[in-house]
Amino acid sequence: MNYRNKARFVTLFLLAGGGVNSLYAEDEQPLDAAQMEKIAKMTANPVGAAWMFWGQYDNTQIRGDKLKKAETVSKYTFQPVMSFPVRAGGADLNFVVRPVLQYYNAPNLGNLSYDGNRFTPQGRMSGMGDSALLTLLGPNRDDGFVWGVGATQIFDTAENDLLGQGHYQAGPAVLLAKLAPKAGGTNVGVLAQHWWSVDKNDRADTSQSNIQYFINYRMSTTELVGMSPNITVNWKNDRGDKLTFPVGLGYSNVIKMGALPVRFAAELQYSVISPDDIGSRWNLRFMFIPVIPSPFL
């Protein structure tokens, strides 16, 4: 992505947020404490009824036996979350659609200098990575036991081979969670996705899993403290390079910016298990998530 396209991408996000703020401003009554708590519950639920502009920034330190020194990878993820009500057999369900766009700034692994068996990337590269689409169907409830089933896909949209895997990939997605009804309780859950490469080309076939688990204590009606890292497994790699298992600690809250409700979060993560050759160690994650008025509520 060149500078002009990147600027358009950021401008579109900011304009969308401003448009959402104006929609809330048109309401006669400002959001009260009970409405803010409901919004906080919906945004903590992967199959909730909230519509969101989900912005996420990750700054990750990578290390390994093949790297001469630690390097950093920055990734900005934009994933609009849209929830559609579904009634089937008397059940009240939500069908959640979440496209995922990713922009990277990373070491240039296509230009390396070697020192024995270890190497140092020369320079950095930036651009769009592969895109994804997650769809889930689950019950429309704010708390209690929550489940979701659906499909997940990865599309070959990377600007170059080093920023993507070069395949269309697809597989199942499953959610299991228990969400606390009141402050003082704990939200726990797992959202698991798996992908296999579907097409055939000269790139290596893929079989990989991403398992996001969350354990968050409800400090107040809108505040959470805990962690929500992503375990990744690359089943095609050798034994010592398959698994990344991070733990973390972070804080999240839903506040009003003008009339606009926004969930923000910050979390520091450390991978207690990481691939031997090249893998993540530390990750600092920030999230900024404007909540959009749903046309169905």
Side-chain angles (χ1 to χ4, degrees):
M1 180 182 286
N2 60 32
Y3 177 80
R4 180 176 296 177
N5 287 338
K6 182 179 179 182
R8 288 174 178 171
F9 185 75
V10 174
T11 301
L12 177 62
F13 174 72
L14 294 176
L15 288 175
V20 172
N21 194 41
S22 67
L23 286 175
Y24 274 105
E26 292 172 2
D27 284 344
E28 295 182 0
Q29 299 295 328
L31 296 170
D32 59 26
Q35 290 172 310
M36 289 295 289
E37 180 178 11
K38 184 174 181 62
I39 289 171
K41 284 185 173 184
M42 288 191 297
T43 58
N45 181 358
V47 288
W51 284 46
M52 296 175 279
F53 281 146
W54 189 302
Q56 178 174 306
Y57 174 77
D58 288 272
N59 187 272
T60 306
Q61 181 197 68
I62 58 173
R63 303 177 66 92
D65 295 342
K66 290 189 175 181
L67 282 174
K68 187 175 181 180
K69 63 182 182 67
E71 301 284 346
T72 59
V73 175
S74 298
K75 180 178 70 172
Y76 175 73
T77 305
F78 177 59
Q79 40 188 331
V81 181
M82 297 157 284
S83 180
F84 301 90
V86 176
R87 292 194 177 275
D92 187 11
L93 306 172
N94 288 327
F95 180 66
V96 177
V97 179
R98 182 185 295 194
V100 181
L101 305 175
Q102 303 176 101
Y103 183 86
Y104 288 90
N105 180 267
N108 186 359
L109 297 179
N111 183 14
L112 306 173
S113 65
Y114 286 86
D115 181 6
N117 294 326
R118 311 180 85 182
F119 59 76
T120 300
Q122 301 299 298
R124 299 184 68 83
M125 58 182 178
S126 298
M128 291 293 295
D130 288 342
S131 303
L133 178 64
L134 170 65
T135 54
L136 283 172
L137 182 69
N140 179 23
R141 61 174 68 114
D142 295 333
D143 49 50
F145 176 69
V146 174
W147 55 268
V149 293
T152 182
Q153 303 170 74
I154 295 176
F155 302 93
D156 178 20
T157 59
E159 292 192 44
N160 63 61
D161 288 348
L162 297 174
L163 295 175
Q165 295 175 303
H167 285 288
Y168 168 65
Q169 305 170 60
V174 177
L175 165 73
L176 293 173
K178 186 176 181 181
L179 307 178
K182 297 180 180 179
T186 302
N187 296 339
V188 294
V190 174
L191 172 59
Q193 303 178 72
H194 184 85
W195 302 271
W196 293 276
S197 53
V198 176
D199 55 352
K200 296 292 183 181
N201 54 36
D202 57 356
R203 300 290 297 274
D205 291 341
T206 63
S207 176
Q208 58 186 334
S209 303
N210 185 304
I211 305 167
Q212 183 177 35
Y213 70 97
F214 55 91
I215 306 170
N216 291 303
Y217 175 73
R218 291 192 61 192
M219 293 179 62
S220 71
T221 56
T222 59
E223 295 173 290
L224 300 173
V225 63
M227 59 180 173
S228 54
N230 295 75
I231 301 168
T232 59
V233 186
N234 189 331
W235 299 99
K236 293 290 186 178
N237 282 353
D238 294 334
R239 183 175 180 179
D241 293 312
K242 291 182 185 291
L243 177 64
T244 301
F245 195 122
V247 296
L249 181 64
Y251 171 81
S252 174
N253 195 9
V254 177
I255 62 172
K256 286 187 287 187
M257 298 184 67
L260 177 66
V262 175
R263 176 173 287 282
F264 72 89
E267 183 172 330
L268 182 64
Q269 302 169 349
Y270 177 76
S271 294
V272 294
I273 301 175
S274 183
D276 295 335
D277 286 347
I278 301 176
S280 65
R281 292 299 188 269
W282 292 97
N283 182 56
L284 183 59
R285 173 174 294 174
F286 296 101
M287 290 183 285
F288 181 80
I289 310 171
V291 182
I292 307 165
S294 169
F296 305 105
L297 295 179

